[in-house]
Amino acid sequence: MYSISTRLKTSLQLGIVSCLLFISPTTIASHHFESMLAQQNPQFDLTDLFVFESEKAGYTSFMIDINPTTSNDGKALFAENGVYNIHIAKDRQLQNGGLTITAYVKGDALIFGIVDDANPAVGSKGKQIGSATIGQTVTFKDGIRVWSGAARDPFVGNSAGIIAFREKLAQGKLDLSSFKEGVDLFASLHSSIIVVEVPNSMLPKQMYVYASSAMYLVDKWVQVNRLANPLMTHLFMANNPMEIAEHVGHRPDMDLNRSYAVSAMVLRAITLDKQQPDPVKYADQVAAQLLPDMIPYQAGTKAIYSFEVINGRKPSDDAMDAVLSLFMGRKVTDNANTFDRHPKKFPYVVPVN
């Protein structure tokens, strides 16, 4: 539920980013600056993942948001010494195959590839399927359509509210009043975004999706970040920076090792809330639902990411409300509702020119 996903106006934005770079990753809401590598290389810092039905029947769209330091000058900030990945698995255990869509920068274009594996080696680029100049929409011969560029960050969320909520929780206090103001930090921020639309005929009917980024560092490939569910690390794992580092540095097949961390955070909140009849059972259910950390989606169906149902995730889904509600075991809202930057037409974002 994994995510901080946007930027302020240029001057204010630069100040925020400068501050974030010197703050512990666990003090930031959403998926931002979770590892030292991400802090040092924001071009590989993944902030959000979406998977949803395309405007075109028979297709599924995947979107990854990247780089919290993207400004409002219209320039996407990707990096050439790495690769961005959308992993599409057939099962939660990553044992029955799938595929990975890869993208890497070459000049002013992104080179796209496919690997016939949902959990390939770090740095894998697969078989090249086409290239597309950043900022332009291109359709490849296999029907895959792509777009990349700078855009208004689609994530909507009350960042200040969740940080204050978590600080109180760490003190053994449950206080939801921090969400009353409902300020959406991300309303004026920007992301570097990759959108890939894939024919359903190429996809598993039931899929489990996550994203990762990697860079070539000195003499080897290193995974910089990994995400799926929004706010996974900055809320569900906020009690343990070491768990967060382990999470973003590995793949979902290692996630069950961190079930206790997720369960413990939920248990703390609902025990203080005193509304769940069996807090331990509920906390364990949440951990089992979210881990391994992948977003489930059934091709050809309506995507929805909510407290009641997680089946894909649209950019317009109120993911922070969904996550907070799942965390508390009852309906909770962050009161941030500026859903004014979510077009229904490809590429489903508002580009910055």
Side-chain angles (χ1 to χ4, degrees), residues 42-64:
Q43 299 93 333
F44 294 109
D45 190 10
L46 307 180
T47 58
D48 267 302
L49 169 68
F50 304 92
V51 50
F52 54 98
E53 72 279 12
S54 300
E55 60 171 322
K56 187 189 304 184
Y59 287 75
T60 296
S61 288
F62 304 87
M63 178 193 299
I64 47 175

Side-chain angles (χ1 to χ4, degrees), residues 14 22 57 64 83 86 105 109-110 127 149 164 173 193 216 220 287 322:
L14 293 176
F22 293 97
I64 47 175
V83 60
I86 300 168
V105 176
L110 282 179
K127 179 182 178 181
K173 302 174 184 178
I193 293 175
Y216 195 75
K220 65 178 180 179

